[in-house]
Amino acid sequence: MSAAAPGGTGRSGGAEHFVSAEPFDPYSIETLSVEQERYYLASQWRMMWWRLKRHRLAVVSGLILAMLYLVVVFAEVIAPYGVHSRNVEYVYAPPQTVHWVRDGAFVGPFVHDYDVTLDLEHLARVYTEDESRPMPLRFFCRGEPYRLWGVIPASFHLVCPAKGGVMFLLGTDRLGRDVLSRVVHGARISLTIGLIGITISFLIGLTLGGLAGYYGGWIDGLVQRLIEIIRSFPELPLWMALSAALPVTWSPIGVFLGITVILGFLDWTGLARAVRSKLLALREEDFCTAAVLMGAHPRRVIARHLLPNFMSHLIASATLSIPSMILGETALSFLGLGLRPPITSWGVLLNEAQDINAVALYPWLMFPVVPVIIVVLAFNFFGDGLRDAADPYRTD
């Protein structure tokens, strides 16, 4: 039903103008396209996901991190050997080359066995590939037995050497242990310590930063002075001093937990300041004042009304903080003040490559630095993408 607008026909003899008498619905199908409706009705997290998907480098980095943490969960399955398995006949064996073609025909992936001779002049073993003895690689196979997550007995592996043969794709160390297998097992400790440490840091930063930003006054002053004291110490020497204070009689698990707690307790300052600055701005908003007037407890105001308004920014900040903890553990273990054998982490593996003579003769011992670089870059790129996606003022 439409009605003519008053004055629809003027002195100029123009056409009569009609308007709808129905109430205007801004979300109706007639006024909004499907895409516009999805955009205007989307939640903050959905819009953040849409923006993140357009950041290709962040998406690729996220996929790399997802695969690495999948390795953490199934390290025993992916590693061809156990973390402490030794092959005493192949000490400091160089990496084997994977071949696909033999005598002009494609036969699948295989490696050649080693011929080992002793160089009495240089007191070293000399390894040469014996091309007459190809050893095909086996996939989804039964190999060295293990306990999955230390509980479930199993022997299934993603890839195995040929029966009666060996496979050292990244060489071996001074005890004849496969470097690739140790790098895979070391990922479990190095990547886990970052997640546990950032959880501790996140809880402390949210609590102290939230109290300082919401209450202000002497609480804010006390928290700020504490932050300034912690940040005034050089980071690495402080980590080294606290790590050296851990008792040498502690078990490897106790040392692991101690290092994690130290990293978490020293990395919360930046997050606490970010939370404080956000709460100082948001506590004066109308929705916060309304919640206080309705009798909401300060804990509820902070947890239900203030923190959710910038939680996406906090997640991005936490993602950017994980690499610093991984680097901290790697540095401490490399210096001999962090994790110690029999625990295996990337820092512990690099500790074995401190001797420049060993690195010059056996450069494959430095390979554990490669996953460290990949993880740090992936976390930084992914964190940058999350930070851009969480920015509500971005229009792209």
Side-chain angles (χ1 to χ4, degrees):
M1 184 77 182
S2 61
T9 56
R11 288 176 294 178
S12 60
E16 188 174 4
H17 179 60
F18 291 92
V19 296
S20 174
E22 299 294 331
F24 175 71
D25 182 7
Y27 299 110
S28 65
I29 301 300
E30 297 178 357
T31 56
L32 290 177
S33 66
V34 176
E35 290 298 324
Q36 288 176 320
E37 184 178 8
R38 290 179 65 244
Y39 179 79
Y40 289 122
L41 298 181
S43 64
Q44 177 188 4
W45 294 102
R46 183 175 293 274
M47 295 181 66
M48 180 178 171
W49 168 243
W50 288 342
R51 287 193 290 263
L52 179 63
K53 287 195 299 184
R54 292 198 295 267
H55 199 299
R56 294 184 178 179
L57 188 57
V59 172
V60 173
S61 300
L63 293 176
I64 292 175
L65 292 175
M67 289 189 293
L68 288 174
Y69 278 100
L70 191 64
V71 170
V72 170
V73 177
F74 299 103
E76 295 89 352
V77 178
I78 297 174
Y81 295 99
V83 64
H84 301 300
S85 298
R86 298 176 57 185
N87 296 274
V88 294
E89 298 179 357
Y90 298 93
V91 175
Y92 283 135
Q96 292 173 307
T97 303
V98 178
H99 302 274
W100 299 81
V101 178
R102 179 174 173 81
D103 297 331
F106 178 81
V107 296
F110 67 92
V111 296
H112 291 134
D113 198 2
Y114 280 128
D115 278 333
V116 186
T117 58
L118 295 178
D119 185 353
L120 299 180
E121 180 180 355
H122 298 90
L123 300 178
R125 300 189 182 200
V126 179
Y127 293 88
T128 56
E129 288 190 353
D130 185 357
E131 297 184 359
S132 65
R133 289 183 292 173
M135 297 183 296
L137 305 184
R138 298 180 294 140
F139 295 91
F140 306 104
C141 48
R142 297 287 180 180
E144 185 175 318
Y146 58 85
R147 285 188 174 271
L148 184 63
W149 309 316
V151 177
I152 306 173
S155 60
F156 177 79
H157 291 268
L158 180 64
V159 59
C160 305
K163 292 184 177 180
V166 294
M167 179 185 66
F168 306 125
L169 301 184
L170 296 180
T172 63
D173 62 6
R174 60 186 177 86
L175 297 178
R177 296 171 297 188
D178 181 39
V179 174
L180 175 60
S181 299
R182 288 175 62 77
V183 168
V184 171
H185 284 280
R188 173 169 292 173
I189 297 297
S190 294
L191 294 179
T192 303
I193 203 169
L195 292 182
I196 299 177
I198 200 60
T199 301
I200 297 174
S201 173
F202 207 70
L203 293 176
I204 298 175
L206 287 181
T207 303
L208 296 183
L211 293 176
Y214 185 79
Y215 289 104
W218 68 269
I219 297 180
D220 184 21
L222 181 63
V223 172
Q224 292 306 305
R225 300 297 80 75
L226 179 61
I227 292 175
E228 291 168 0
I229 291 173
I230 294 177
R231 295 176 71 94
S232 65
F233 289 98
E235 192 173 61
L236 185 58
L238 182 60
W239 285 351
M240 293 172 60
L242 293 177
S243 299
L246 295 178
V248 295
T249 56
W250 280 14
S251 65
I253 297 299
V255 174
F256 169 74
L257 295 177
I259 295 295
T260 305
V261 171
I262 288 173
L263 295 176
F265 269 90
L266 296 179
D267 198 59
W268 59 269
T269 54
L271 181 63
R273 281 191 166 175
V275 173
R276 170 187 175 272
S277 62
K278 289 289 185 180
L279 289 189
L280 285 175
L282 291 176
R283 70 178 184 177
E284 306 298 333
E285 296 290 339
D286 293 340
F287 67 89
C288 181
T289 304
V292 173
L293 293 177
M294 293 178 67
H297 193 273
R299 183 173 62 251
R300 179 179 177 85
V301 174
I302 295 174
R304 297 295 298 274
H305 299 284
L306 296 180
L307 290 181
N309 279 278
F310 59 95
M311 184 58 70
S312 55
H313 293 273
L314 297 180
I315 294 175
S317 299
T319 305
L320 291 171
S321 298
I322 293 178
S324 65
M325 294 196 174
I326 295 176
L327 288 175
E329 180 276 325
T330 303
L332 291 175
S333 299
F334 174 75
L335 296 174
L337 297 172
L339 301 177
R340 298 183 292 271
I343 285 185
T344 302
S345 71
W346 292 337
V348 173
L349 296 180
L350 289 174
N351 179 263
E352 299 179 0
Q354 283 188 343
D355 187 357
I356 188 63
N357 294 323
V359 174
L361 294 174
Y362 318 112
W364 56 87
L365 296 181
M366 288 296 296
F367 184 82
V369 78
V370 175
V372 174
I373 295 174
I374 293 175
V375 167
V376 170
L377 289 177
F379 265 116
N380 280 301
F381 291 144
F382 186 63
D384 286 339
L386 277 179
R387 183 173 54 193
D388 294 341
D391 187 356
Y393 298 103
R394 290 182 64 92
T395 58
D396 55 340

